[in-house]
Amino acid sequence: MTDRLENERFPLLHNHSRRNSVTAEVNENDIIAYVQLRRASIVSVGTGKMPSHFALTLKMSRSSLNEGLHPVRSTTSTLGDVSEILSVHSKSLINEPHTSVGTEAKVLMRYSGPLIVTFLLQYSLTVASVFSVGRLGSVELAAVSLSSMTANISGYAIIQGVSTCLDTLCAQAFGRKDFNTVGMHFIRCTYLLMLLYIPIFVLWVFFSELILLKLVGADKQDLVAYASQYLQVLAFGIPGFIVFENLKHFLQSQGIFHASTYVLLFCAPLNALMNYVLVWDEKIGMGFIGAPLSVVITNWIMCFFLLGYTIYVNGYQCLPRQSLLHESYFRNWNRMIKLSIPGVLMVEAEWLAFEIITFTASTFGTDALAAQSIVSTTCVLLYQVPFALSIAASTRIAWYIGAAAKNASLIAAKTAMYCALVLGCLNALVLYQFRVFFASLYTSDSSVIELASQVLVIGAIYQINDFLACITGGILRGQGRQHIGGIMNLVSYYFVALPFAFLIAFHFEMKLFGLWIGMIIGLLFVSIFQTYFVVTSDWDHIILECINEGIVEDGALLIDAHSLVPAMLSNHLV
């Protein structure tokens, strides 16, 4: 009878796995106090400094609920009936953080700068291996390309896709000032990825040669042997990469965007040096195997450096207080996994689609394949700009959602889309104007330069939709609605882009041009539909879900508003 009554009174709480531990009633005052805490989250927006760590007093019993609290009304509410309380128009709530389009645009630009440098430096780690090994011979160069493709699809895409769940979980928790929960999400995600690392390790170390032989044919045993060796060595650096990637998202969720940039400013040149020493040095050089070894060493150095920065410089405020083997890290994985699956789907769908396009381009001849490599590499480099902007927008919007600030969330989302359109057009103009120059950076072959510069015209048009699709994907990620982006990417690339690409390339005989026209059509589909879902977002429902998630993280988290909120309001609200 008691359980039935509680289910009726707390419908949202009882949708979660830990609902049986909820024993306290939640009245309007508790929810308002909780919302007020969240609204204090945008305090240090211009300084980049961590606000003081509020000592939350979480009450778990019915008797403690009434101590020191002065309810706004005497009635008791359930979380299922508090949409009006959570609305930004509610007069009983404190004014939300003030912002404007200009403010948000400046913040996005400031946050995006170090992220662009970070992503470019991280991309250079792979490029360094290609350059160092490419001079050993064509077989070795092909082996690096094959092993890099295999590693991306079967390993790195999974890791990066799963880690995007932290852009939602950690950033929203930081927005509501649940600092300990920020760290708990980081540890949980790291444990999840370490579990996923086990099959990746087994695949790369014990079965890579067998699988690659099936893919490329038994007549290319030398190529497969080199590629398999590369993967076998690379497997030992994956744990370091996992910790680094998760730490990067963990710090970004706190507004610390420059830490990974500092680490990579040191590690990227170090990686290039190690590639030379371990591959080419007469005394130390190991030849081909030195390239993956330098990546492994670099991954572990990046891991320890960023971990050291977090512990001793900044970001330690959100490290969890529990020991690393505490049982709380192995509970409440449902939402993390639900956010991780579409994250992986988005990354895998895009990466694999481009690998298919590259493989198809090889059927049109050497010039077409070379031009495809030039166009795809150039677009990947330019992609770092919208990707950085999407991370900044995702973090910013998740903070506002955590702070229960609906109007601010709307302004931040609109500003991000405005920036996407402006910067997308700017990128397109630059790429179109300097297309011949970009193509000539890769080769001196006039026929390849001419073909690549012609295809880059399509690549320039591609930039506008690429920006809009990337930014709207970041907004959906900040809202915790990655599933929309995952579905859109899967449908657009495999049911729209690739069919149109093959149709135009082969039936209409437009070859490489047709492949890229198909990709533009697919990306147009993504950008339009993701924009539709962002524009029609139910922000009240999104905020309500975020509040509910915070309240049920460890049962019914009831806040001692009497001692905490007044001090917070006087010192920390903007």
Side-chain angles (χ1 to χ4, degrees), residues 291-312:
L293 183 59
S294 67
V295 175
V296 170
I297 296 172
T298 302
N299 282 341
W300 281 107
I301 292 175
M302 291 192 307
C303 164
F304 289 124
F305 275 28
L306 197 58
L307 184 61
Y309 182 96
T310 304
I311 295 174
Y312 298 108

Side-chain angles (χ1 to χ4, degrees), residues 120-133 156 230 234 263-280 289-302 305:
L120 288 173
L121 289 173
Q122 199 164 355
Y123 181 69
S124 75
L125 301 181
T126 301
V127 175
S129 295
V130 173
F131 274 108
S132 63
V133 171
Y156 290 123
Y230 194 100
L234 200 64
V263 171
L264 280 162
L265 281 171
F266 174 79
C267 290
L270 178 64
N271 177 68
L273 177 62
M274 283 194 296
N275 265 280
Y276 171 78
V277 172
L278 295 177
V279 175
W280 288 98
I289 209 69
L293 183 59
S294 67
V295 175
V296 170
I297 296 172
T298 302
N299 282 341
W300 281 107
I301 292 175
M302 291 192 307
F305 275 28

Side-chain angles (χ1 to χ4, degrees), residues 294-349:
S294 67
V295 175
V296 170
I297 296 172
T298 302
N299 282 341
W300 281 107
I301 292 175
M302 291 192 307
C303 164
F304 289 124
F305 275 28
L306 197 58
L307 184 61
Y309 182 96
T310 304
I311 295 174
Y312 298 108
V313 181
N314 200 4
Y316 56 85
Q317 299 92 333
C318 289
L319 290 174
R321 295 183 295 272
Q322 297 88 338
S323 68
L324 290 177
L325 294 179
H326 195 273
E327 63 176 353
S328 59
Y329 298 128
F330 304 97
R331 296 198 298 253
N332 295 346
W333 282 32
N334 287 345
R335 190 173 185 227
M336 177 177 65
I337 293 174
K338 287 179 181 177
L339 294 175
S340 297
I341 292 173
V344 172
L345 189 61
M346 289 177 68
V347 179
E348 288 279 12

Side-chain angles (χ1 to χ4, degrees), residues 464-510:
I464 300 172
N465 288 322
D466 202 17
F467 263 81
L468 192 56
C470 195
I471 298 307
T472 51
I475 294 171
L476 292 171
R477 195 164 55 246
Q479 293 176 336
R481 298 199 295 166
Q482 284 93 323
H483 63 281
I484 295 174
I487 294 171
M488 289 298 101
N489 273 264
L490 183 64
V491 171
S492 66
Y493 282 115
Y494 297 99
F495 295 94
V496 179
L498 290 179
F500 271 105
F502 295 148
L503 176 66
I504 299 171
F506 292 102
H507 182 72
F508 294 99
E509 298 183 351
M510 294 185 68

Side-chain angles (χ1 to χ4, degrees), residues 367 370-371 374-375 434-456:
D367 286 356
I374 291 171
V375 175
F434 297 99
R435 61 191 184 281
V436 177
F437 169 74
F438 283 127
S440 63
L441 292 176
Y442 298 89
T443 182
S444 57
D445 190 317
S446 58
S447 60
V448 174
I449 291 175
E450 183 180 0
L451 179 57
S453 60
Q454 291 173 356
V455 178
L456 281 173

Side-chain angles (χ1 to χ4, degrees), residues 364-376:
F364 300 133
T366 305
D367 286 356
L369 180 59
Q372 162 63 18
S373 298
I374 291 171
V375 175
S376 61

